[in-house]
Amino acid sequence: MGKQESVSDFYQYAKDLAKAERELKIEQWVEVTIYYGYAEKQVSLYHYNLPREMYFRYQWVIRWRMAKLQCQYPKQIVSTSLYFYDKRSGESLEVSSCLSKLISAKAQITKAERKMNEYIEHNRQNNMFFDENTDDELVKFKAKLERKKIECAECEKRLEKLVERRNDYGNKNDKSAFQYRNGKENNEQRSRR
């Protein structure tokens, strides 16, 4: 029975993580680089930038490309490098990254709220002297949960500012590239006249 509970807890936590990712509007992408060589002598041969689901669905294409490149460079060891990231913010999704910690914190808050509600419901049904406002454990738990929510909200604001800055920077580069192309086209038209 204990093992079944731990498996169901694991699935519930996975659902909490997925919910947190949806709330944060995470777009999971992966950057795949096929290369040969080591450290400073690395030579990039091919580069993919794909949604994570597509990467897992079409890994055979990457293996095929690696085999083809291995045939082209038989004396080299051809390898791949993977970088999982959120396309919207550009932040890494590695285990120790800030974004992964934020997703985990939101999932933990959801789990804690669920446990707190279960505790309250259980005590309301089984303890006639239960009072939410005077229960020491519950008061401490609520205070800790509120601090965690505030920290999480501040992290979300920092993430949103990062996304805005990234979008502003991208828009400026797009505008300058557009202006450059238009300026070049206008100069070509003037020279034709």
Side-chain angles (χ1 to χ4, degrees):
M1 186 169 161
K3 287 185 179 182
Q4 288 177 348
E5 289 176 356
S6 65
V7 170
S8 66
D9 288 346
F10 174 76
Y11 284 124
Q12 186 59 51
Y13 186 65
K15 288 179 183 178
D16 293 343
L17 285 173
K19 179 184 173 194
E21 287 180 5
R22 280 191 305 273
E23 288 174 1
L24 292 169
K25 301 173 188 160
I26 303 293
E27 296 176 30
Q28 293 190 6
W29 281 59
V30 62
E31 188 176 293
V32 182
T33 305
I34 302 174
Y35 65 94
Y36 71 76
Y38 301 98
E40 298 87 31
K41 297 180 181 180
Q42 235 178 42
V43 176
S44 179
L45 301 172
Y46 210 84
H47 184 80
Y48 292 98
N49 210 2
L50 312 162
R52 192 175 114 180
E53 299 84 32
M54 187 180 284
Y55 163 72
F56 286 118
R57 189 175 303 137
Y58 296 107
Q59 279 184 330
W60 65 270
V61 175
I62 294 166
R63 288 192 309 271
W64 171 82
R65 176 79 58 190
M66 280 184 65
K68 182 179 178 195
L69 290 169
Q70 186 65 67
C71 291
Q72 286 179 347
Y73 303 96
K75 293 184 179 182
Q76 303 294 333
I77 298 172
V78 176
S79 304
T80 60
S81 149
L82 301 175
Y83 175 68
F84 292 92
Y85 69 100
D86 170 34
K87 184 168 185 171
R88 196 171 71 93
S89 67
E91 289 292 304
S92 169
L93 286 170
E94 293 176 1
V95 175
S96 61
S97 73
C98 293
L99 189 55
S100 292
K101 289 177 183 177
L102 176 60
I103 292 168
S104 179
K106 284 187 74 69
Q108 288 170 4
I109 288 171
T110 303
K111 179 181 177 182
E113 286 175 336
R114 188 176 46 257
K115 294 287 183 185
M116 181 181 68
N117 292 335
E118 289 172 4
Y119 176 81
I120 292 169
E121 198 60 38
H122 174 76
N123 280 310
R124 280 184 185 161
Q125 292 175 359
N126 300 320
N127 185 353
M128 62 192 300
F129 301 108
F130 177 73
D131 182 16
E132 288 181 44
N133 301 321
T134 59
D135 187 63
D136 289 339
E137 285 183 43
L138 188 58
V139 170
K140 288 178 185 176
F141 188 80
K142 283 183 176 180
K144 187 176 180 181
L145 186 59
E146 282 304 312
R147 283 193 306 272
K148 189 75 168 172
K149 284 181 179 180
I150 291 169
E151 291 172 8
C152 201
E154 289 172 356
C155 262
E156 280 186 68
K157 288 177 186 174
R158 284 194 300 267
L159 179 66
E160 286 301 319
K161 286 181 183 177
L162 180 71
V163 169
E164 287 174 14
R165 274 187 278 161
R166 184 172 183 262
N167 289 341
D168 288 345
Y169 179 75
N171 290 339
K172 286 178 185 175
N173 285 343
D174 290 345
K175 286 178 185 175
S176 62
F178 178 73
Q179 290 170 348
Y180 173 76
R181 283 193 304 261
N182 283 346
K184 190 174 180 182
E185 289 170 5
N186 289 340
N187 289 339
E188 288 175 5
Q189 288 174 356
R190 285 184 199 135
S191 63
R192 288 182 194 156
R193 291 181 193 160

